[in-house]
Amino acid sequence: DAKTTQPPSMDCAEGRAANLPCNHSTISGNEYVYWYRQIHSQGPQYIIHGLKNNETNEMASLIITEDRKSSTLILPHATLRDTAVYYCIVRAVDNYGQNFVFGPGTRLSVLP
Amino acid sequence: GAVVSQHPSWVICKSGTSVKIECRSLDFQATTMFWYRQFPKQSLMLMATSNEGSKATYEQGVEKDKFLINHASLTLSTLTVTSAHPEDSSFYICSASRGSETQYFGPGTRLLVL
């Protein structure tokens, strides 16, 4: 079973920031938080991951709470092409041979 | 970033035939590859984990004699759906790990069995 909970769907206006929450209250100290997204009929695309510090890259920012029990993925200026299902996943550090367990994710709809 | 390809991107076959799907890591060596299946409006479900040069590890409920996995090299894994039936119609996705904490996913292969 997935170790994360996410809202099933969210809407966001084009050009505004999209803030996608994720709860992972049972996360262990050696587990990363990963975010992937899946645009319709494509394979999942890596977005970002982090352990305990906030992270930022060219796609998004990841804010992890101090107790690490929840996180937020931020798309700073959402576009129509950001419409996708977003998956929040936790996985142990150094366990490269372990698969990702996908939950139902959040279906983000960016509206014009 | 690392690129994973799949071939074919889609395939239609008759019931009872076998279909082979290839997964390649194009610019890195993948120590481990994973095969997932996704039915419409559902999330990805892991089918098997494949390590180069060894037998694949199948998830509970996945028939190893029906879904043959070969990981012959560090850049290629294949999934063969033997004697395919309409219920095997699905979106098959592979992912690859190069020994880092990130996995990279292929674009998927859509299989339709008539």
Side-chain angles (χ1 to χ4, degrees), chain B residues 64-81:
Chain B
K64 62 180 181 181
D65 294 330
K66 180 170 182 62
F67 299 98
L68 302 179
I69 292 173
N70 184 288
H71 193 161
S73 76
L74 286 173
T75 60
L76 173 64
S77 176
T78 61
L79 167 68
T80 301
V81 184

Side-chain angles (χ1 to χ4, degrees), chain B residues 11-45:
Chain B
V11 57
I12 302 173
C13 69
K14 293 182 178 180
S15 183
T17 61
S18 294
V19 175
K20 179 184 285 188
I21 302 170
E22 292 185 350
C23 175
R24 294 182 184 272
S25 54
L26 296 185
D27 51 2
F28 67 99
Q29 293 187 326
T31 52
T32 304
M33 288 185 170
F34 304 89
W35 287 96
Y36 296 81
R37 180 167 54 181
Q38 185 176 33
F39 292 106
K41 299 189 184 301
Q42 296 185 23
S43 191
L44 284 76
M45 294 297 295

Side-chain angles (χ1 to χ4, degrees), chain A residues 3 90-92 95-101, chain B residues 32 34 36 103:
Chain A
K3 297 182 179 179
V90 298
R91 196 188 72 169
N95 199 349
Y96 308 142
Q98 184 184 14
N99 63 289
F100 285 91
V101 178
Chain B
T32 304
F34 304 89
Y36 296 81
Q103 283 187 23

Side-chain angles (χ1 to χ4, degrees), chain B residues 44-65:
Chain B
L44 284 76
M45 294 297 295
L46 180 71
M47 298 177 66
T49 301
S50 170
N51 290 296
E52 186 264 341
S54 62
K55 291 184 178 180
T57 302
Y58 291 82
E59 294 300 295
Q60 190 173 8
V62 178
E63 300 176 56
K64 62 180 181 181
D65 294 330

Side-chain angles (χ1 to χ4, degrees), chain A residues 29-98:
Chain A
N30 67 337
E31 290 182 315
Y32 278 108
V33 179
Y34 291 81
W35 283 84
Y36 283 78
R37 72 180 182 184
Q38 186 177 25
I39 297 171
H40 182 63
S41 295
Q42 297 182 25
Q45 177 190 21
Y46 167 78
I47 301 173
I48 200 168
H49 75 282
L51 185 60
K52 52 184 177 181
N53 297 322
N54 296 337
E55 303 287 344
T56 296
N57 63 20
E58 64 278 6
M59 290 183 67
S61 295
L62 173 61
I63 309 298
I64 303 174
T65 58
E66 192 170 342
D67 63 8
R68 303 209 323 122
K69 292 185 177 182
S70 66
S71 61
T72 301
L73 178 74
I74 301 173
L75 308 178
H77 305 287
T79 71
L80 299 179
R81 288 178 293 181
D82 292 323
T83 292
V85 178
Y86 287 76
Y87 298 100
C88 170
I89 302 166
V90 298
R91 196 188 72 169
V93 173
D94 295 333
N95 199 349
Y96 308 142
Q98 184 184 14

